[in-house]
């Protein structure tokens, strides 16, 4: 890994000092060898001293040549390190804030889940009191049911939720939306009429001379369903089908992979409003008005 110039100068200065100490050490060893009459060792020590001296001179020259540039490089490195530290501290602060936001979101979601669990427990208790199996795996557990107590009846009774109960917020239960849901429910009943045969206890006799055809009313309803889907979209129509016609709870629709409850509730209201506009129960949406104004001006 390449070093910066200031680090190279510092290393050269340290090597120059080290070689100067080596020169002194080899010179002393050479003197001791001469005193003992060991000329061969004295010669080798003198050669090592000269070599160390040459290295010390080369390193000292490098330090002298690049000392000023090394000072500038050291300053630049310190400034860069300070900026890096500042960026790291800022990133750590952002990460800490992100962690705090995530923890707050997780706590809020946990509180919401606890509230939903308490509401589901209370609902299951009421349904059990009405003699209904509240298991979410059953059809009754997936339906939007309401319980009430009738006069003269010892226990509660359960029934499918009315159109008003399908909208969670009472402020959103406008007459227009109630009428739109009722219209869509009736349309679904017309479109699906005859799909489930009435129970028979004896084998029927087919006296027809031709294949039975689709009733005209059901054919008209199917065509109307297609026109409605083209207006509000297939997804909106599917949400309305499960929520209005089958009275499915949002949690059951969530388990089908249709999205979370909040998103489904928002899309459901938008779909109901689309049905109301399709049948002329409501005024034109402001977004459509703005688009028409822009197109007419052009």
């Amino acid at each position: 890994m390449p070093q910066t110039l200031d680090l190279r100068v510092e290393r050269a200065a340290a090597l120059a000092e080290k070689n100067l100490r080596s020169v002194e050490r080899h010179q002393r060893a050479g003197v001791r060898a001469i005193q003992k009459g060991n000329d061969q060792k004295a010669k080798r020590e003198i050669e090592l001293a000269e070599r160390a001296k040459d290295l010390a001179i080369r390193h000292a020259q490098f330090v002298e040549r690049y000392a000023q540039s090394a000072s500038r490089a050291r300053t630049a490195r310190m400034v860069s390190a300070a900026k890096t530290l500042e960026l790291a501290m800022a990133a750590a602060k952002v990460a800490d804030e992100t962690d705090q936001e995530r923890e707050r979101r997780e706590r809020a979601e946990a509180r919401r889940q606890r509230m939903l669990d308490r509401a589901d427990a209370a609902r299951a208790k009421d349904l059990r009191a009405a003699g209904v199996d509240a298991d979410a795996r059953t059809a009754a557990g997936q339906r939007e049911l309401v319980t009430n107590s009738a006069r003269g009846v010892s226990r509660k009774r359960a029934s499918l939720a009315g159109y008003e109960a399908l909208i969670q917020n009472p402020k959103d239960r406008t007459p227009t939306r109630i009428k739109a849901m009722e219209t869509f429910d009736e349309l679904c009943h017309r479109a699906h009429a005859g799909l489930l045969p009435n129970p028979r206890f004896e084998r029927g006799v087919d006296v027809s001379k031709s294949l039975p055809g689709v009733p005209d009313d059901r054919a008209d309803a199917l065509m109307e369903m297609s026109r409605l889907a083209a207006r509000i979209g297939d997804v909106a129509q599917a949400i309305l089908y499960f929520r209005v016609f089958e009275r499915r709870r949002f949690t059951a629709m969530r388990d089908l992979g249709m999205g979370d409850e909040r998103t489904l509730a928002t899309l459901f209201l938008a779909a109901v409003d689309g049905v109301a506009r399709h049948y002329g129960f409501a005024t034109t949406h402001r977004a459509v008005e703005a688009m028409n104004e822009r197109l007419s001006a052009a």
Side-chain angles (χ1 to χ4, degrees), residues 5 17-18 23-24 30 46 58-59 100 104 113 135 139 149 158 169 178 191 207 225 236-237 246 251 267 297:
L5 182 59
E17 183 67 23
K18 179 180 179 181
V23 171
E24 295 177 355
I46 292 174
R58 288 170 55 189
H59 290 305
Q100 292 178 358
R104 285 194 294 268
Q113 189 60 44
D135 190 348
S149 300
N169 191 352
I178 302 300
V207 295
M225 290 284 285
Q237 188 180 47
E246 292 196 352
T251 52
L267 294 177

Side-chain angles (χ1 to χ4, degrees), residues 83-130:
K83 290 183 178 179
T84 303
L85 178 60
E86 183 180 357
L87 293 175
M89 292 177 64
K93 183 178 180 180
V94 171
D96 185 57
E97 292 176 352
T98 304
D99 293 340
Q100 292 178 358
E101 181 64 26
R102 185 178 66 253
E103 292 176 358
R104 285 194 294 268
R105 186 167 57 251
E106 291 176 352
R107 288 196 298 269
E109 184 62 27
R111 287 195 299 269
R112 175 176 173 271
Q113 189 60 44
R114 286 195 298 269
M115 293 175 61
L116 291 176
D117 292 341
R118 287 195 293 267
D120 289 341
R123 175 179 179 274
K125 182 178 179 180
D126 288 340
L127 291 177
R128 284 195 301 269

Side-chain angles (χ1 to χ4, degrees), residues 17-194:
E17 183 67 23
K18 179 180 179 181
N19 283 281
L20 287 176
R21 291 195 298 270
S22 296
V23 171
E24 295 177 355
R25 186 173 64 255
H26 289 304
Q27 286 178 348
R28 290 195 297 268
V31 171
R32 288 194 299 270
I34 291 174
Q35 291 175 350
K36 293 180 180 180
N38 191 344
D39 296 338
Q40 185 177 0
K41 182 178 181 181
K43 181 180 179 181
R44 186 171 63 254
E45 292 295 337
I46 292 174
E47 291 176 352
L48 291 174
E50 291 295 330
R51 180 182 177 185
K53 182 178 179 181
D54 292 339
L55 290 174
I57 292 173
R58 288 170 55 189
H59 290 305
Q61 289 175 345
F62 182 85
V63 172
E64 184 179 0
R65 185 181 305 116
Y66 295 107
Q68 187 174 2
S69 299
S71 178
R72 291 195 297 267
R74 184 181 297 106
T75 302
R77 186 161 58 89
M78 292 177 63
V79 172
S80 177
K83 290 183 178 179
T84 303
L85 178 60
E86 183 180 357
L87 293 175
M89 292 177 64
K93 183 178 180 180
V94 171
D96 185 57
E97 292 176 352
T98 304
D99 293 340
Q100 292 178 358
E101 181 64 26
R102 185 178 66 253
E103 292 176 358
R104 285 194 294 268
R105 186 167 57 251
E106 291 176 352
R107 288 196 298 269
E109 184 62 27
R111 287 195 299 269
R112 175 176 173 271
Q113 189 60 44
R114 286 195 298 269
M115 293 175 61
L116 291 176
D117 292 341
R118 287 195 293 267
D120 289 341
R123 175 179 179 274
K125 182 178 179 180
D126 288 340
L127 291 177
R128 284 195 301 269
V132 177
D133 184 7
D135 190 348
R137 295 171 296 181
T138 64
Q142 296 178 5
R143 297 286 197 288
E144 193 72 65
L145 303 176
V146 294
T147 58
N148 50 47
S149 300
R151 180 177 300 179
V153 179
S154 60
R155 68 177 188 178
K156 293 183 176 181
R157 294 186 302 180
S159 61
L160 284 176
Y163 300 121
E164 295 83 358
L166 295 180
I167 299 178
Q168 297 176 336
N169 191 352
K171 296 181 180 179
D172 295 330
R173 299 169 186 169
T174 62
T176 300
R177 286 173 172 168
I178 302 300
K179 187 175 181 181
M181 287 188 288
E182 182 180 0
T183 302
F184 181 82
D185 195 14
E186 292 176 355
L187 179 62
C188 288
H189 280 286
R190 290 172 53 204
H192 296 84

